[in-house]
Amino acid sequence: MKTLTLAAFVAALFLCLGFARVTLSAAAEQACAPYSRAVTVRFKMLTPPPVYNHRLNVAGIRNLFLTRGQSVGGAHERALGVTYSEIAFYLEGSTSITPQGSGYCVYLNAVTAEFGWKRLEVHIAREYARGTCEYNAVLDHENQHVSIIKIALSDYAPRLRAELERELRRQQPIFTRNARSAADQAVESLYGRMQGVVDRFQQTQAARHSAIDSSSNYGAISDLCPNWDKKLPASR
C-alpha cells in the first residue's frame, strides 16, 4: 500500500509540475511590458448656458417630471418651476497596440475627458407673467438651483481630473486576443473605475438641491407674493 501511495504521489507531482510549466508558459506569453511614459490627459468642462423656458403651464411642468422619470409627489406635486440638468461624462482614448505571443498588448497614449452637463433648462410656469412678483420669486429659486449645479461642478471637476490622473498612473497594459476591441476595452475599464467620483458628484448635487426644496423654504417663498392662487387652476 505504501508503494502504491508513493507511486500515486509521484505521478501527482509530475502532473502538478507539468501544469505549472503550462501556466508559466501562458503567463509569459501574456506578459506585457509596463508603460514607458505617462498617459496624456486632456480635460474639458462642459458648461453650456442655461436655457430659460416660459412656455409650459403647471400641468406641463408636472408632465415634464413624469416623462423624465422623476417623482411628482411631495414638494414637486404642484411645482411652479423646475431646473433640469443632464449630467455628461465622456471619455475617449487613443491607444497603441503591440503584438505579444498569440495576442496583443494595449496601451493608452492619451485620454480626453469631458465633464459637466449636456443641457441645463429652467422652466417657469406660464401662469405667472414675466415681471410679476410671483414670476420673479420662482425665477430666483430656480436660479439658486442653477448656482448649485455650477458650484458642484466647480468643486468636483478638479477632483475628477485628479482621480483620472491617479487611475492612469496605475494603469496596466491590457492583454487581448482581439485587436479590434482592444481600444474599447481600455477605455471602458477606465470609465468603470471613474464612476464612483461621478456618483458622488450626483449625490452631492441632490443633497444641495434638497436643502432648498424644503417645506420651510417654500413657505418663505410663498410669503413673498400675494397672488399665487389667483393665477392657478383649482386643484383636483
Side-chain angles (χ1 to χ4, degrees), residues 24-40:
L24 290 172
S25 176
E29 183 185 59
Q30 297 178 14
C32 296
Y35 275 78
S36 59
R37 62 179 183 81
V39 180
T40 301

Side-chain angles (χ1 to χ4, degrees):
M1 289 293 294
K2 290 183 180 179
T3 304
L4 290 173
T5 302
L6 179 59
F9 171 75
V10 172
L13 180 60
F14 284 140
L15 287 172
C16 288
L17 289 174
F19 176 74
R21 283 195 293 270
V22 171
T23 303
L24 290 172
S25 176
E29 183 185 59
Q30 297 178 14
C32 296
Y35 275 78
S36 59
R37 62 179 183 81
V39 180
T40 301
V41 176
R42 304 182 186 96
F43 190 88
K44 178 182 178 181
M45 288 174 58
L46 301 175
T47 57
V51 175
Y52 290 85
N53 187 316
H54 194 221
R55 296 190 298 271
L56 297 177
N57 59 14
V58 172
I61 289 176
R62 179 186 176 90
N63 288 335
L64 190 66
F65 277 96
L66 292 172
T67 57
R68 292 177 177 172
Q70 297 176 331
S71 170
V72 293
H76 293 146
E77 189 169 0
R78 285 174 63 77
L80 308 179
V82 63
T83 298
Y84 174 79
S85 64
E86 187 174 345
I87 303 304
F89 175 51
Y90 305 108
L91 278 182
E92 290 183 353
S94 63
T95 58
S96 58
I97 300 174
T98 303
Q100 174 68 25
S102 60
Y104 305 90
C105 292
V106 184
Y107 300 86
L108 284 168
N109 296 328
V111 169
T112 299
E114 296 184 355
F115 178 54
W117 57 84
K118 188 185 298 184
R119 57 179 175 172
L120 180 56
E121 303 171 5
V122 177
H123 297 268
I124 301 173
R126 71 182 183 210
E127 282 86 352
Y128 303 106
R130 285 184 174 89
T132 62
C133 176
E134 292 78 15
Y135 176 91
N136 289 335
V138 176
L139 176 62
D140 179 70
H141 178 77
E142 297 309 323
N143 278 336
Q144 291 178 47
H145 284 296
V146 172
S147 294
I148 285 171
I149 294 166
K150 291 180 176 180
I151 292 169
L153 179 63
S154 296
D155 289 345
Y156 269 83
R159 301 182 196 183
L160 188 139
R161 176 167 187 161
E163 183 64 24
L164 177 62
E165 291 174 343
R166 261 193 303 272
E167 287 295 336
L168 288 172
R169 286 195 294 271
R170 294 194 288 256
Q171 179 77 19
Q172 297 296 317
I174 296 176
F175 179 84
T176 181
R177 300 188 189 280
N178 186 348
R180 291 185 178 180
S181 64
D184 289 341
Q185 287 182 44
V187 174
E188 286 173 8
S189 172
L190 180 61
Y191 188 92
R193 302 199 304 275
M194 295 301 301
Q195 196 58 48
V197 183
V198 178
D199 289 344
R200 290 193 293 276
F201 166 69
Q202 293 178 309
Q203 291 162 7
T204 297
Q205 268 201 116
R208 293 175 182 178
H209 287 312
S210 295
I212 67 168
D213 280 341
S214 63
S215 298
S216 60
N217 195 34
Y218 283 155
I221 294 171
S222 179
D223 291 340
L224 295 175
C225 305
N227 296 317
W228 295 106
D229 293 335
K230 293 179 182 178
K231 306 290 184 181
L232 293 178
S235 300
R236 294 182 181 179

